[in-house]
Amino acid sequence: MEENLVTCEIADGIATLTLNRPDAMNAFSVAMLDAMAQRLSNLRFDPAIRVLIITGAGKAFSAGADLKERAGMTPEQVKAFIFAIRRLMDDIEQFPRPVIAAVNGAAFGGGLELALASDIRMASQSAVMGLTEARLAIIPGAGGTQRLPRLVGKGIAMEMVFTGRRIDAQEALKIGLVNHVHPPEELLHASRRLAAEICESGPIAVQQAKYAIQRGLETDLNTGLAIESNAYWVCIPTEDRLEGLAAFREKRKPVYKGK
Ligand code: COA
């Protein structure tokens, strides 16, 4: 793995992964896909990590697939790339901790799909977003046709995908594509503040809530409620649950251990 293609910084239980090909607008080459997958796999079962933030170096979040590399690929190689990028997005979505995409600039194609696979999207005022694939005579292939309509609704998603239109951060906020918009220099601080707020909650509870929301949304209400109930049961025997009750009684902040 080329270490620098995706950098990793860890502080106070928050891991920040930075896509680091600024000269290529952080476009996803095969090497960057591998680097990102490796970083995720290293962090996935690290109990010290409570929240993951993904952002980009330079002025882009990610301009999607590396179109220069793509031009030299055989159809079979393109298939293999699409398979790998889809798996990466699934890995992000199923990362057992909350994932915040700090969209610092352009997020197109696979770049926006990465943000869509994250749990919460924060955007810089300078961010521009779009699923631009149809303009290249292809379709979003890393989950965009599925995750965008689930987030912003079918009609708006259809319009965005058919036209490949690029929207700014305010528009993204209006349609619910991003949760918050911040000045560029404040984006990472704001994302880390949000992450720190999440870190105050019980880690097992947060993990189970993510699981229940994600899995429950993909099914009917009764099955979803059964998933929620099972996820709750996981929290009951934890030391953290007793700590929460004790802290409330003693009027102090709880200290959760993820146990
Ligand atoms: N793949 C490979 N290289 C890319 C890229 C991509 N997806 N997007 C940008 N780059 C490269 C450019 O070719 C350029 O390289 P060069 O300096 O060797 O010419 C460099 O990144 C800077 O991009 P540039 O277009 O000059 O910067 P900009 O600020 O004018 O525009 C974007 C930035 C992201 C708006 C623009 O590059 C763009 O629209 N990229 C395509 C995005 C897209 O449609 N992605 C979907 C892929 S499915």
Side-chain angles (χ1 to χ4, degrees), residues 44-210:
R44 186 171 297 117
F45 297 113
D46 184 340
I49 304 303
R50 299 278 195 89
V51 180
L52 175 63
I53 295 175
I54 302 175
T55 193
K59 67 179 185 177
F61 179 68
S62 169
D66 186 323
L67 297 174
K68 291 176 185 162
E69 188 181 62
R70 176 71 58 89
M73 285 181 171
T74 64
E76 287 68 32
Q77 287 171 325
V78 175
K79 274 190 189 170
F81 180 91
I82 299 299
F83 182 83
I85 196 168
R86 293 172 71 83
R87 199 167 46 188
L88 176 70
M89 300 309 164
D90 292 346
D91 281 354
I92 290 169
E93 191 168 60
Q94 285 164 31
F95 192 79
R97 306 290 186 196
V99 180
I100 299 173
V103 182
N104 54 299
F108 296 130
L112 181 54
E113 288 172 303
L114 192 159
L116 287 167
S118 305
D119 300 315
I120 296 171
R121 284 147 294 279
M122 310 275 278
S124 150
Q125 279 164 353
S126 60
V128 191
M129 284 156 264
L131 290 180
T132 51
E133 287 91 340
R135 294 193 164 260
L136 295 162
I138 49 175
I139 67 167
T145 64
Q146 301 307 303
R147 294 191 179 104
L148 184 66
R150 280 166 170 74
L151 189 63
V152 303
K154 185 172 153 189
I156 292 172
M158 293 267 191
E159 186 175 332
M160 282 182 69
V161 171
F162 296 165
T163 61
R165 188 182 302 140
R166 300 169 177 217
I167 62 170
D168 65 18
Q170 281 308 324
E171 178 75 14
L173 183 65
K174 200 175 93 191
I175 64 173
L177 177 53
V178 302
N179 288 27
H180 304 283
V181 176
H182 295 278
E185 65 282 6
E186 286 172 25
L187 176 68
L188 207 48
H189 296 299
S191 302
R192 287 188 171 137
R193 266 201 311 277
L194 173 60
E197 205 180 326
I198 294 171
C199 287
E200 290 180 14
S201 297
I204 295 172
V206 169
Q207 188 173 350
Q208 290 303 311
K210 172 168 172 169

